[in-house]
Amino acid sequence: MPVSHHYEDVPSAGTARLATDVSHYLSEGPVWDGIRERILWVDIVSGTVHSGRLRPDGTIRVEERYHFPDTAGAVAVAETGELVVAGTHRLYFRSVDGAIRAGAELISGRERRFNDGKPDPRGRFVVGTLGPGGEQLMRVDGDEVTVIDDDLGLSNGLAWSTDGSRFHSIDTTNRRIHVRDYDAVTGSIGRRELFRQFEHGAPDGMTTDADDHLWVAMWGEGCVLRISPTGRIVARIDVPAPHTSCAQFAGPDLETLVITTATEHLTAEQLRASPLSGRLFTVTPGVRGHPPYLWNGRTQRHA
């Protein structure tokens, strides 16, 4: 059953169906690798990247698990199949033969770690932090690091407009989606503006569809919201798990929305009420996604 309490008046675009059997503590960051036709996602606390095959019925068959010596806040894939993973304080790079090496330390602090991240339209890895406050959003291109924000409550979901000229980013703690101009060619980043303020639930991960609408997972609300380019909520997907964490279009035609969820912070009573929490779900909402960007493969010097 849907668990949302605050968005019932938003038109429904469907109810998500169960896609996996395994429950994760904090699954996040689904990524569609169209070259290898696989879906990747992370279980952050266990430091694991999962790789699965999307079946025609919307279920996902897990085929491989890649373990990293740290937390795994996000994953991105290069054209060659190499992976970049956001660890606790540094990035990790996994070659196609399975070798893993660590990049230089980029942040510090016992209570701080990297969180959500994605490649920008030119393949540079943009990633944010989670911690006690004053959190950062940064762009990493090999050894070149550009701090975009340094005053966030919790840096989270990232999404670009279909032409790459507008960049959306979420501050979960403050329940905001920010937007700014973004020139992927020159790397120029515009002034931050408020795109959407939420009163209920916490915006988490997000993605963009082919019509330039955002799909935002609402932590605590058991739904994913579709938001127009003007910031208006126009549709919702119900998920039978309160902590929806991220969404990403997948499949050869990008018609299937893959949704991750978590059991983190749920009480025993909440878990009994929502026993499918922590699993992945899929839905076909009737629109296609925008093709995800590939990481450019530029690694850092050894740690």
Side-chain angles (χ1 to χ4, degrees), residues 125-147:
F125 192 58
V126 181
V127 62
T129 66
L130 175 156
E135 299 310 310
Q136 294 183 324
L137 177 64
M138 65 182 67
R139 186 174 65 195
V140 184
D141 188 20
D143 292 318
E144 181 180 347
V145 179
T146 302
V147 175

Side-chain angles (χ1 to χ4, degrees), residues 69-193:
D70 215 336
T71 54
V75 61
V77 61
E79 183 176 2
T80 58
E82 295 171 317
L83 303 180
V84 57
V85 169
T88 302
H89 294 148
R90 65 186 77 238
L91 303 183
Y92 288 87
F93 308 98
R94 184 185 188 275
S95 65
V96 292
D97 63 5
I100 295 173
R101 73 172 182 85
E105 185 173 89
L106 298 176
I107 60 173
S108 61
R110 288 182 56 189
E111 298 180 6
R112 178 167 286 117
R113 66 165 173 82
F114 276 123
N115 196 43
D116 207 348
K118 284 183 180 178
D120 77 359
R122 281 297 180 97
R124 295 165 289 210
F125 192 58
V126 181
V127 62
T129 66
L130 175 156
E135 299 310 310
Q136 294 183 324
L137 177 64
M138 65 182 67
R139 186 174 65 195
V140 184
D141 188 20
D143 292 318
E144 181 180 347
V145 179
T146 302
V147 175
I148 299 171
D149 289 322
D150 60 5
D151 60 348
L152 304 174
L154 193 169
S155 180
N156 224 317
L158 310 171
W160 283 262
S161 59
T162 55
D163 65 1
S165 68
R166 300 279 278 171
F167 172 47
H168 299 83
S169 58
I170 285 176
D171 184 344
T172 295
T173 303
N174 292 306
R175 296 179 173 177
R176 296 171 183 162
I177 301 178
H178 297 134
V179 66
R180 68 191 89 205
D181 292 336
Y182 197 94
D183 189 326
V185 176
T186 66
S188 174
I189 302 170
R191 183 174 61 89
R192 188 178 77 190
E193 300 175 357

Side-chain angles (χ1 to χ4, degrees), residues 238-282:
D238 293 316
V239 184
H243 289 343
T244 46
S245 57
C246 197
Q248 174 64 54
F249 286 93
D253 297 320
L254 297 175
E255 294 179 335
T256 301
L257 191 67
V258 176
I259 302 166
T260 53
T261 71
T263 60
E264 183 185 41
H265 300 155
L266 292 179
T267 65
E269 182 179 356
Q270 288 173 317
L271 286 170
R272 284 192 296 270
S274 303
L276 299 181
S277 292
R279 312 221 189 156
L280 270 63
F281 298 83
T282 59

Side-chain angles (χ1 to χ4, degrees), residues 216-227:
V216 181
M218 297 300 295
W219 183 274
E221 291 293 322
C223 66
V224 177
L225 300 178
R226 189 183 191 219
I227 301 177

